[in-house]
Amino acid sequence: MSKMTTRHVYTSESVSEGHPDKVCDQISDAILDACLANDPAARVACETAVGPNLVVNLGEITCKNWDRINPGKIAREVVQDIGYDNPTEGFSYDTFNYLCALHGQSGDIARGVTKAKAEDQGAGDQGMMFGYASNATRQFMPAPIVYAHSLLQFFTALRKKGEIKYLRPDSKSQVSVLHEDGCAKEITAVVISHQTCDVPITRIRKDLEEVARDFLKDTGMLTNKTKFYINPTGRFVIGGPCGDSGVTGRKIIVDTYGGVGSHGGGAFSGKDPSKVDRSAAYYCRYAAKNIVAAGLADKCEIQVAYAIGVAKPLSINVSTYGTGRIDDEKIAKILMANEIFDFRPGMLIKDLGLTKPKGWSYRGTSNYGHFGREGFPWEKTDRAAALRSAAGVK
């Protein structure tokens, strides 16, 4: 009896750097970058909120030479770089009101985290974090989120180059991909909602669909049945923080795997690496990607759990969804041995160089996904050979 083909359509979305929540993520991470440049041991939990003509910073920061850092100036520089430069739109870098309510980290938290030796450093919070990888794409990411991110990156480049002059910073994309037996086969639908100047919707839809089709044709997954929905409401002129409020950390699925796999619930931006919500999620991705790159599985999800102030993880779980060449339990034991990967917070921070970024920045992570883009240390596949050796797989 022949096996039946299983088919399903999976959809993921992305948002551009001009989306209100992403404005917040970038400001929070830019402040984090400034703090770590002044003090690699800084403790940062910086939140940002935006609304019409308003930016607010609040949270906890303990940082040497804090007087050298001007968060309000950083916020204006980020907003200017994004492209909000027209006061008549209700939000502009040179006119927004700024409020700061940042204060020092709680001593109750610091006493469990700050230790003399890296191996003794406790987790900055309790919780569970996940990392995921698959061989579905060359980025070791699910296809829908890869296409959703890359499409918006392309539109942002066109906007900043002035090649489509009526585009404004706020936008979203959504890509639906048909899978057969778990493999991406074709793009069934593309949604683009892009803020624009007040120009005819017929022109916008014609231009943006033409650009999107041309960009996505190299995927080989467009068909004559692929549907495009461009600014479906018919008008998207009021956008950004003037159209909707924004808050740091509200795009956790956009930031990770587009809904594929699990999520522990913790956001990333504005947090220094002692916060395992961020750093351990990066490390889980690092380990999962190397497991797939090593050929030990076609896809892999890793969960790690911590107690606040405790260095040793409470648990490490591995799931290869039945695609593993060896048992999941054996892979988990390899991870728990601390020989190839060491999930203690202080050690994983040291391993990835998270307090002293070299060639990358935290603000750079905040747009178009924290995973699947080269240049970040957790995207290396330099442990694949060691994993194959430990697993006894050639």
Side-chain angles (χ1 to χ4, degrees), residues 143 173 189 238 268 309 313 324 341 350 367 389:
S173 68
I238 301 170
F268 299 155
F341 297 96
K350 183 179 179 181
N367 294 316
S389 178

Side-chain angles (χ1 to χ4, degrees), residues 127-181:
M128 63 282 187
M129 301 84 213
F130 292 87
Y132 177 87
S134 80
N135 58 13
T137 62
R138 63 176 179 81
Q139 296 91 345
F140 292 86
M141 293 285 286
I145 191 67
V146 169
Y147 301 147
H149 283 323
S150 59
L151 190 57
L152 278 194
Q153 282 181 284
F154 188 65
F155 274 106
T156 297
L158 294 179
R159 172 177 64 83
K160 290 193 169 183
K161 291 176 184 176
E163 294 187 22
I164 303 181
K165 296 187 182 300
Y166 58 76
L167 293 182
R168 297 301 293 147
D170 192 1
S171 60
K172 283 187 173 184
S173 68
Q174 189 170 288
V175 179
S176 302
V177 178
L178 172 67
H179 293 72
E180 291 184 357
D181 294 331

Side-chain angles (χ1 to χ4, degrees), residues 50-220:
V50 298
N53 207 35
L54 177 66
V55 173
V56 179
N57 278 130
L58 64 164
E60 302 80 48
I61 295 180
T62 298
C63 176
K64 294 177 183 176
N65 304 314
W66 172 248
D67 58 319
R68 299 179 186 175
I69 298 170
N70 185 336
K73 182 174 182 290
I74 291 171
R76 293 190 190 278
E77 289 171 347
V78 169
V79 172
Q80 182 179 22
D81 183 59
I82 292 169
Y84 285 115
D85 53 9
N86 185 349
T88 66
E89 292 180 341
F91 185 79
S92 180
Y93 77 95
D94 52 350
T95 59
F96 68 71
N97 296 308
Y98 178 74
L99 297 175
C100 184
L102 295 166
H103 59 85
Q105 183 185 52
S106 163
D108 291 350
I109 295 174
R111 69 193 299 268
V113 177
T114 304
K115 303 291 184 181
K117 296 180 180 179
E119 58 265 33
D120 296 330
Q121 179 175 323
D125 202 353
Q126 70 177 53
M128 63 282 187
M129 301 84 213
F130 292 87
Y132 177 87
S134 80
N135 58 13
T137 62
R138 63 176 179 81
Q139 296 91 345
F140 292 86
M141 293 285 286
I145 191 67
V146 169
Y147 301 147
H149 283 323
S150 59
L151 190 57
L152 278 194
Q153 282 181 284
F154 188 65
F155 274 106
T156 297
L158 294 179
R159 172 177 64 83
K160 290 193 169 183
K161 291 176 184 176
E163 294 187 22
I164 303 181
K165 296 187 182 300
Y166 58 76
L167 293 182
R168 297 301 293 147
D170 192 1
S171 60
K172 283 187 173 184
S173 68
Q174 189 170 288
V175 179
S176 302
V177 178
L178 172 67
H179 293 72
E180 291 184 357
D181 294 331
C183 296
K185 292 297 182 181
E186 65 181 65
I187 296 173
T188 61
V190 177
V191 182
I192 300 168
S193 296
H194 210 303
Q195 183 189 14
T196 67
C197 298
D198 193 3
V199 299
I201 186 62
T202 52
R203 177 185 174 189
I204 294 168
R205 286 176 173 164
K206 178 179 181 297
D207 290 349
L208 270 57
E209 180 173 337
E210 184 177 289
V211 169
R213 282 186 179 276
D214 187 60
F215 178 76
L216 291 171
K217 69 180 181 182
D218 289 340
T219 66

